[in-house]
Amino acid sequence: MKKILLNKKIIKYVLSGICLALIILAVILFCIKGKEDDSKGLNNYILKLDYDEDSNLLKGREEICYVNNSNNCFDKLYFHLYPNAFREGAKAKVVSQTNIDNAYPNGLDYGNIRINSVNDKQSGFTVAGEDENILIVELESELFPDEKITLSIDFEVKLANINHRLGFGDKTINFGNFYPIACVYEEGKGFCQDLYHSNGDPFYSDVANFDVEISIDNSFMIASTGSLTSSENCNGKTTYFYKASKVRDFCFSLSKEFEMVSTKVEDIEVKYYGYKGDGNLDKCLNVSIDALKTFNDLFGKYPYNTLSIVKSNFIHGGMEYPNIVLISDRITDEKDLNYVIVHEIAHQWWYGLVGNDEYNHAWIDEGLAEYSTLLFFEENKEYGENYKGLVNNALKSYMLFEEVYLKVTGKVDGRMDRPLSQFETEPEYTQCTYTRGILMFNSFRELVGRNKIIKAMKTLQEKYRYKNISKDELISVFEKFGGRETESFFNNWLNDKVVLTKG
């Protein structure tokens, strides 16, 4: 009897152990599945790149696994060819007339992108669009919702000698928006195919996964989106292998003049690339660290393990890409440099993590990034900037803009929510997106309080991280903290119905 009871106890313990093991296994499988689902539905890019300095030519092969996340069937796919904006005769100008001399210090020069084949064929695709800016690939059979298709594209990019996102300058070679990238599809609108424009950042993309290998001469140092997984050296060239998951774009920059300093912020490696002989590398790195920590606290943790801040031959103040920002080497004033670094790092949250159509609604990411910059200086008073002072400066700047434009043109258009092509000048674009962005979000803060506007921004991150947001979706989130008048508040600002007066 005791023996039988003992066996029953043993069986009971064994069964309990098996049940516990099955539960643990189910949890593990659920977690693994959760991690897989986290990237489900994303396009996957594999890029193999080889840059030749003598010819300023980048040869590339792109394999994209495209996922149809829409409710419609596709018989064609569309890709932006941004490098064609740099070609001779392009309708879309990459810089305004006032910036020509600074952008082209060695005289006008041109570049382009050439598509050699798609799926190893010279047929079945066309380079079209308004300005040879769109690659159209005809599919052999319809691509239904939730289906995937893999395409391979062989291309060559000829770089222009220009201080810009894409091009080579005296000290850096920048590769921003250099490869065919899938056009975003919007229900009811179709594939978004807007032209390049000299105003702002004329880009709109979905989050995707990237595996990239880049072959360059050994004399170059490289800064890039993503994490370096390995490298190989052969015949005077080094091939770098990068992986970047859930990012909106891929960018890299090369230089023989780079000097890099780095440190860890928790599990994030922060790197600052300056030029050899610069005396402010550590200062710039510290600003970058403070910005990362501040925005982690305010909006939610930066989810990647690298962040690179890169001094660059760039015509404007700075430019944001996932995991990497370009900072113009034309900035000499320390306060201006700090401001630009913070602003561009803020874009890792506003554009990088929460995206938007930057061509048609530039105020969203630029306004949020500018206002976040003011929050940074409010949190970090040791930099000598005052929140109220920065708001007052923005107000003075905008009112001066209005005064000058009234004298010169007899009218002022302060509408914020319009396509880049509808801003007549670069100052008009800057004042309506950046400056009015500061004033609008500060005005909302005056209505609801500091804590609520920060909670609204954090909620945007929590709800729309890795997605694109519309104007209405932003307003809907802010409405939870500002009440039912929030929609009219934003629409009045966006449609230039708010009269600004000196405080």
Side-chain angles (χ1 to χ4, degrees), residues 174-301:
N174 297 329
F175 291 90
N177 313 102
F178 65 91
Y179 60 94
I181 186 170
C183 296
V184 173
Y185 183 86
E186 287 188 0
E187 300 290 345
K189 182 177 180 180
F191 289 97
C192 299
Q193 303 176 49
D194 294 303
L195 284 175
Y196 203 102
H197 203 281
S198 60
N199 287 332
D201 309 327
F203 311 118
Y204 186 22
S205 58
D206 288 315
V207 164
N209 300 316
F210 291 82
D211 282 283
V212 183
E213 63 177 71
I214 307 167
S215 295
I216 56 174
D217 188 85
N218 287 342
S219 59
F220 287 113
M221 183 180 286
I222 183 171
S224 175
T225 296
S227 299
L228 180 66
T229 58
S230 64
S231 62
E232 296 175 356
N233 194 296
C234 183
N235 297 326
K237 277 197 161 186
T238 301
T239 300
Y240 297 90
F241 298 86
Y242 290 93
K243 184 177 287 289
S245 299
K246 295 189 292 185
V247 296
R248 204 166 293 281
D249 207 338
F250 192 95
C251 168
F252 66 100
S253 184
L254 309 177
S255 181
K256 298 177 181 179
E257 299 294 325
F258 278 154
E259 184 176 343
M260 189 267 286
V261 291
S262 67
T263 191
K264 282 265 191 178
V265 176
E266 297 180 11
D267 56 343
I268 305 162
E269 185 177 14
V270 184
K271 297 179 277 191
Y272 178 80
Y273 293 79
Y275 298 155
K276 294 173 184 176
D278 286 352
N280 64 347
L281 271 66
D282 288 328
K283 281 186 177 180
C284 292
L285 179 64
N286 288 335
V287 176
S288 306
I289 292 165
D290 289 341
L292 178 63
K293 288 179 177 178
T294 299
F295 297 141
N296 274 345
D297 291 340
L298 291 177
F299 310 134
K301 189 180 177 185

Side-chain angles (χ1 to χ4, degrees), residues 47 110 117 159 169 255 257 261 273 295 300 307 323 333 345 375 404 419 422 473 475 479:
L47 296 170
Y110 302 100
S117 67
L159 295 183
S255 181
E257 299 294 325
V261 291
Y273 293 79
F295 297 141
L307 174 62
N323 314 152
D333 180 80
I345 291 177
L375 291 176
V404 170
Q422 291 185 16
E473 287 168 331
I475 292 173
E479 195 170 37

Side-chain angles (χ1 to χ4, degrees), residues 290 294 335 374-388 445 450:
D290 289 341
T294 299
K335 282 195 171 184
L374 266 64
L375 291 176
F376 168 85
F377 287 113
E378 185 178 38
E379 293 279 323
N380 298 272
K381 294 181 173 56
E382 65 271 21
Y383 286 96
E385 299 282 11
N386 178 272
Y387 175 87
K388 288 185 178 179
R445 167 174 164 160
R450 181 180 185 276

Side-chain angles (χ1 to χ4, degrees), residues 5 11 31 46 59 79 86 91 93 95 108 110 133 215 243 273 285 289 296 307 355 369 398 418 453 460 466 468 475:
L5 288 173
I11 293 169
C31 292
I46 299 174
K59 293 183 178 181
F79 298 83
F86 292 80
K91 295 177 185 177
K93 303 304 179 185
V95 293
L108 288 176
Y110 302 100
N133 60 308
S215 295
K243 184 177 287 289
Y273 293 79
L285 179 64
I289 292 165
N296 274 345
L307 174 62
Y398 187 80
R418 48 180 156 149
I453 190 172
L460 270 181
Y466 307 120
N468 288 310
I475 292 173

Side-chain angles (χ1 to χ4, degrees), residues 309-322:
I309 299 86
V310 183
K311 190 173 183 177
S312 172
N313 294 135
F314 185 54
I315 182 63
H316 302 295
M319 181 63 201
E320 67 279 2
Y321 290 99

